[in-house]
């Protein structure tokens, strides 16, 4: 979409009025154009976001908006967009909003994340507007309390960071690993991590360590990121020697440094939990409100259903992991692999479990995310997906058995975590000089040799070094490249520890047993490919396979299906329809989206107000195009198995997404559903859903009984009822 000059929005508004839109409808459509990034170009040049902001907020029809306009969803989100940025000023805008629509303004302030940016010029504008509306004045008081609480934690964190400013990142990682074995790794076979007894979660601590690594990458000496094996040994060897190989008390300096690191972790965890439970909740959790009592804030639940949705979705994610594991067990049992030896006899059970876990993730990535057998890496090389998954699962088994399991046994025998770590390290030295320190490191050649043993196939009985190199790169977190980008303050995504758990410091590759042993490799693979690797060359092909998988599942249930249906020329603006299906007089129009696993209410809110909201508007146009053609096209009716054009109550427009955010909500009247729920409903195999996070203890998991969703037989009506009632997730 291009614009010849700066009057794009005004011309669009006038054209819409001429087409019969009311003034309010026309302005809402102008706001929609702004929200989706139009115009893309002006006078042939790509328009920046700040240029688009400036154009929109100086357009006459926008400046003339009234209270009714502002109460519309599109204008409210446009206001949120204005408050999110700091480059463009629309002086007087917030004062107008305070008088005309103060609630719209306060909601937009929350959703813009302005609570996280106390120095933004928008905060000054908001303070000026506070004198015009009591609601805005009260919001400013709440923001002030949050600012003070945030500043206290920021100052506390800065004080705790100060002793570590000159410490190399690899040494910080060594202290983090000691901390992990004391606080994050259970010290008993059936116990919980020590940090949980302090009312904190292991996930919060992982996030804190990740945040500290990013802090060091932004602020530290980037020349210290290029390391080899000897460099690491020289820098962390003395530290580990004091901790693990001395029978007496710790040297005073070591004890003091560890106390400082524990303080640093406590401050970082406190900061992250404040951000999550207070600032992010204030901004993006629409199920609560912050009520002020003097200088104290109280969280009041205003929508219990909205608050429960996040917890319910978390539970669904674990149920879905159980679903794919259960199906993988069945597939493995009926495969030739079930009758073959996998590794040495003493490791066979663990290796078999790793194989099944890798198979479960591959099945999920194939059926839900459209992944093929090979996926591309940066630089154009490809990696065998199953081998990459299997290598990571086998690595997890190795660390769980030979590190964590051995550590737990020593901790129970010796009664102290530090003595147990020392025994573990000494045992490794005595058994062939193996590294059993709190984190491991090696050069690329050694990593490749180890992985090569896991790439054995009938065609390559000795394994493939080339495949092993690709697998290593697939799971690799390039610390040097990330440090350079963060040092330049460039925007972009950065991996989380669990997404790419091999840390590359130049020539040295570091792994953290306490991460790899416990992480969800399935979620790591999904986010590695769909979040960090969303721009891979084959993502378009994967999207087409997702659509094809849904079409095939519908056809298997007797639906007549059209895939990637193109409307005629006069309706071409509606766009291609991903999947259209008909059965029993019902018409289903599907819009598919493929994204990743989100972990915060902020990400979920943004997904719902951008991707899903846009999908709803697209689907309304596509449904109208399908119905328009169906009215007179007997061939199309026949292709969909429809005896006549369906009545509106028999037409169902569904947004189907690989993520579960916004499930069973409506966007522009279109129901949003997760693809996995649809596929399970079509397969009628919800008995594979299981509750529990540790598949290895499969006998303890609670599964749905083997009861059909369709006891009276499958048809469009029963399918519709099963989906709309969320019967897939019920205990019936």
């Amino acid at each position: 979409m291009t614009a010849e000059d700066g009057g794009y929005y005004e011309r669009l508004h006038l054209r819409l009025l001429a087409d019969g839109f009311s003034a309010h409808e026309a302005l809402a459509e102008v706001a929609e154009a702004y929200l989706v990034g139009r115009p893309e170009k002006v006078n042939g040049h790509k328009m920046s976001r700040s240029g688009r902001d400036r154009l929109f907020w100086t357009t006459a029809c926008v400046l003339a908006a009234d209270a009714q306009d502002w109460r519309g969803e599109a204008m409210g989100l446009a206001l949120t967009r204005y408050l999110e940025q700091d480059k463009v000023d629309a002086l007087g805008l917030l004062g107008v909003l305070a008088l005309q629509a103060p609630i719209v303004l306060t909601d937009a302030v929350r959703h813009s994340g302005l609570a996280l940016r106390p120095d933004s010029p928008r905060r000054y504008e908001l303070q000026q507007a506070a004198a015009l509306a009591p609601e805005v004045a009260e919001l400013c008081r709440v923001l002030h309390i949050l600012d003070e609480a945030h500043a206290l934690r920021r100052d506390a964190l800065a004080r705790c960071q100060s002793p570590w400013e000159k410490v190399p990142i690899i040494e910080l990682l060594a202290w983090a690993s000691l901390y992990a074995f004391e606080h994050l790794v259970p010290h008993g076979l059936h116990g919980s991590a020590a940090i949980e007894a302090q009312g904190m979660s292991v996930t919060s601590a992982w996030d804190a360590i990740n945040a500290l690594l990013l802090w060091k990458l932004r602020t530290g000496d980037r020349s210290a990121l290029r390391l080899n094996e000897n460099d690491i040994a020289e820098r962390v060897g003395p530290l580990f020697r004091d901790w693990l190989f001395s029978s007496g008390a710790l040297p005073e300096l070591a004890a003091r440094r560890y106390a400082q690191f524990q303080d640093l972790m406590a401050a970082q965890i406190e900061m992250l939990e404040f951000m999550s439970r207070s600032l992010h909740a204030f901004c993006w959790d629409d199920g609560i409100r912050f009520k002020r009592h003097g200088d104290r804030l109280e969280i009041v639940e205003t929508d219990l259903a909205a608050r429960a949705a996040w917890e319910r979705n978390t539970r669904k994610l674990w149920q879905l992991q159980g679903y794919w594991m259960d199906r993988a067990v069945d597939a493995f049992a009926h495969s030739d692999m079930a009758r073959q030896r996998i590794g040495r006899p003493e490791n066979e059970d663990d290796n078999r479990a790793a194989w099944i876990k890798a198979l479960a993730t591959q099945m999920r990535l194939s059926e839900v995310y459209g992944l093929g057998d090979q996926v591309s890496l940066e630089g154009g090389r490809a990696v065998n997906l199953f081998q990459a998954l299997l290598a990571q699962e086998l690595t997890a088994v190795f660390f769980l058995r030979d590190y964590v399991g051995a550590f737990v046994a020593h901790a129970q025998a010796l009664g102290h975590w530090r003595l147990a770590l020392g025994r573990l390290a000494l045992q490794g030295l005595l058994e062939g000089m193996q590294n059993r320190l709190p984190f491991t490191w090696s050069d690329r050649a050694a990593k490749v040799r180890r992985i090569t043993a896991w790439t054995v196939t009938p065609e390559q009985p000795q394994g493939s070094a080339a495949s092993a190199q690709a697998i290593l790169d697939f799971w690799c977190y390039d610390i040097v490249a990330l440090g350079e980008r963060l040092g330049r303050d460039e925007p972009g995504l950065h991996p989380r520890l669990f997404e790419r758990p091999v840390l590359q410091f130049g020539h040295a590759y570091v792994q953290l047993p306490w991460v790899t042993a416990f992480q969800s490799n399935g979620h790591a693979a999904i986010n590695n490919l769909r979040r960090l690797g969303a721009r891979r060359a084959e993502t378009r092909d994967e999207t087409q396979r997702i659509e094809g998988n849904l079409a095939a599942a519908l056809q298997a249930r007797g639906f007549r299906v059209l895939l990637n249906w193109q409307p005629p020329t006069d309706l071409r603006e509606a766009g291609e329809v991903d999947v259209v299906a008909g059965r029993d007089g019902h018409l289903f129009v599907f819009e598919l989206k493929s994204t990743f696993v989100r972990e915060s209410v902020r990400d979920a809110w943004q997904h719902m107000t951008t991707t899903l909201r846009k999908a709803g508007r697209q689907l309304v146009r596509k449904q109208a195009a399908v119905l328009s053609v169906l009215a007179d096209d007997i061939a199309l009716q026949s292709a969909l198995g429809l005896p006549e054009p369906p009545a509106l109550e028999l037409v169902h427009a569904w947004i189907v997404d690989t993520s579960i955010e916004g499930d069973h909500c409506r966007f522009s009247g279109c129901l949003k559903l997760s693809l996995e729920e649809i596929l399970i409903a079509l397969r009628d195999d919800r008995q594979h859903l299981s509750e529990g996070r540790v598949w290895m203890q499969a006998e303890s998991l609670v599964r749905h009984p083997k009861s059909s969703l369709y006891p009276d037989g499958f048809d469009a009506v029963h399918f519709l009822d099963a989906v709309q009632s969320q019967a897939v997730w019920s205990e019936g």
Side-chain angles (χ1 to χ4, degrees), residues 146-182:
L146 290 172
D147 289 345
E148 289 190 329
H150 192 187
L152 286 173
R153 289 161 176 80
R154 192 166 53 244
D155 291 346
L157 179 58
R159 287 194 299 271
C160 292
Q161 287 173 336
S162 180
W164 300 91
E165 288 178 350
K166 303 298 182 182
V167 174
I169 189 172
I170 197 68
E171 185 179 332
L172 186 78
L173 197 58
W175 289 106
S177 297
L178 290 171
Y179 177 95
F181 275 96
E182 179 180 12

Side-chain angles (χ1 to χ4, degrees), residues 17-36:
L17 290 175
D19 288 342
F21 284 72
S22 71
H24 297 301
E25 292 169 340
L27 185 55
E29 288 300 312
V30 169
E32 295 286 1
Y34 168 63
L35 291 171
V36 299

Side-chain angles (χ1 to χ4, degrees), residues 175 178-179 182-183 243 254-262:
W175 289 106
L178 290 171
Y179 177 95
E182 179 180 12
H183 296 283
W243 275 83
R256 185 168 68 251
R257 289 299 274 171
Y258 187 56
Q260 289 176 330
F261 185 80
Q262 293 189 94

Side-chain angles (χ1 to χ4, degrees), residues 669-688:
C670 302
L671 185 65
K672 187 273 173 184
L673 302 159
S674 70
L675 177 57
E676 285 169 288
E677 180 177 354
I678 295 294
L679 294 176
I680 293 170
L682 289 169
R683 289 174 57 92
D684 194 18
D685 62 351
R686 64 175 175 155
Q687 71 272 8
H688 290 300

Side-chain angles (χ1 to χ4, degrees), residues 562 565-568 571 574-582 587-590 618-633 636-637 640 642 645-646 651-652:
L562 294 177
W565 180 77
Q566 289 280 1
L571 297 171
E576 178 183 277
V577 183
D578 295 334
V579 179
V580 188
L587 174 69
F588 294 81
V589 185
F590 298 96
Q618 291 173 328
L619 191 49
V620 168
R621 295 193 296 270
K622 294 178 181 184
Q623 173 185 283
V626 173
L627 291 177
S628 176
V629 176
L630 267 176
D632 301 310
D633 192 331
L636 182 59
Q637 294 172 25
L640 292 170
L642 298 172
V651 180
H652 317 286

Side-chain angles (χ1 to χ4, degrees), residues 67 99 309 443 659 703:
L99 292 172
D443 63 17
S659 77
R703 289 179 172 79

